[in-house]
Amino acid sequence: MTSNRKLRPETLLAQAAHFIDRTTGAVVPPVHTSVTFARDQNYEPIGDAIYARYGGPNCVDVENILTTLDGGAGAQLFSSGLAAMAALWETVATGQHIVAPNVMYFGAQQWLQRICARRGIGLTIYDATDPSSLERAIRPGQTVVVWVETPSNPTWDITDIAAAARLAHKAGAILGVDSTAAPPVTTRALDLGADIVFYSATKYLNGHSDVLAGMLVTRQDNELWAEIKDIRKLSGALPGPFEASLLLRGLRTLSLRYARASDNALRFARHFSNHPKIETVLYPGLETHPGHDIARRQMTGGFGGMMSVLVRGDEQAALGVVKRLELFIPATSLGGVESLVEHRRTIEGPDSGVAPNLLRFSIGIEAAEDLIEDLDLALEGV
Ligand SMILES: *Cc1c(COP(=O)(O)O)cnc(C)c1O
């Protein structure tokens, strides 16, 4: 593109990397399998790449799109969501302090606890549903990272990103937001004051359950960002060119997939919110959800496909429903085109704080009627 037009997210995504190969005319960027990149006669690198561990052209294509979509100053692609998060924790020194929510992606919380214990980093867990709890958890001068996950897995509570950013900044800390369930087609966390936004690209960004990847996007190109880039460069925690290329392909349909999943999920949530065999539907798109008003402000492109339902009865009742579902695939993960169901308590084990009758649904892009019928029939049987 020669002009400097400001494109809308749908256009940026559909034309991801807007590519025309000047020698072949190909409109899809090639997969660059080369791990090393040559220099010219002045010994200057010919392109931007030097060595694959520093990031190759396929990774850079994906990073550029996310930088633009989020309005950031840079992005770094990692080999998994948790690898991306770990790069941020790696910047925190012994004696410093991190604040994180009680409802948070399970693996991330487990690892964060381990890192903090081993390295002598303070960690305070706050109640994600109570803004005053977040304020009390922050230690001005010692807290360096305030972590927010919104909507939070698996109860889909909503945290006010702008309010959290004010609290973090007042104390001299940065705000990091896990926005995996709210990709940049619905939430631009950096605009709301976040300093770093995180995505498990394994989920909505790729959307086809066939790539493991993670992403950090920064608001400012500062010292912290330079350190994060160094950490990735040295650890080599980035995906190969094939994965990056698949991720670019997935991104092309992100706005369509997310809109459709949001639409399906809202219909699904509304249908089951008054069902006699269901206690509650936890979905930020429902007017009855405690975080609905904030969600309406900070999820402007839809509430997404993630929700949980509390089945009336105990763990056995919930597992009985899972067994009777035919369309929903019983598997972990989320944000793919196919709908999934998961009994979180079983996955997390006996220490889990998740309600035993909670089922987590990742609503995909199928016909909403078929998904509704599947759960209707399964509930009839229990
Ligand atoms: C999946 C997920 C992660 C971890 O990402 P991986 O790609 O599995 O490493 C972190 N946060 C949330 C909210 C997730 O759903």
Side-chain angles (χ1 to χ4, degrees), residues 80-83 85 105 108 149 153 178 180-181 198 200-203 212-214 334 360:
S80 74
L82 288 192
M85 239 189 247
Y105 184 75
E149 180 177 319
N153 193 11
D178 183 341
T180 298
F198 160 88
S200 166
T202 313
K203 315 294 169 55
L212 190 69
L334 60 97
R360 186 181 87 176

Side-chain angles (χ1 to χ4, degrees), residues 38-164:
R39 291 165 180 267
D40 65 14
Q41 276 152 334
N42 300 318
Y43 212 66
E44 292 297 327
I46 292 172
D48 294 328
I50 293 170
Y51 181 59
R53 180 155 42 74
Y54 307 170
N58 294 105
C59 285
V60 172
D61 280 347
V62 174
E63 288 162 358
N64 287 344
I65 289 157
L66 265 293
T67 303
T68 312
L69 274 182
D70 264 312
Q76 287 272 283
L77 185 59
F78 289 82
S79 49
S80 74
L82 288 192
M85 239 189 247
L88 176 62
W89 308 139
E90 181 71 27
T91 65
V92 179
T94 300
Q96 293 183 321
H97 180 244
I98 295 172
V99 168
N102 57 339
V103 181
M104 175 178 171
Y105 184 75
F106 188 60
Q109 192 175 56
Q110 275 191 323
W111 201 13
L112 180 60
Q113 276 166 346
R114 183 193 151 94
I115 288 171
C116 289
R118 289 283 168 108
R119 299 221 311 256
I121 295 166
L123 175 64
T124 302
I125 304 290
Y126 67 92
D127 177 351
T129 61
D130 175 8
S132 72
S133 158
L134 172 58
E135 188 162 13
R136 284 194 306 275
I138 298 173
R139 300 182 193 157
Q142 196 194 354
T143 305
V144 286
V145 182
V146 172
W147 191 255
V148 159
E149 180 177 319
T150 185
S152 68
N153 193 11
T155 51
W156 317 109
D157 297 319
I158 300 293
T159 301
D160 186 332
I161 296 172

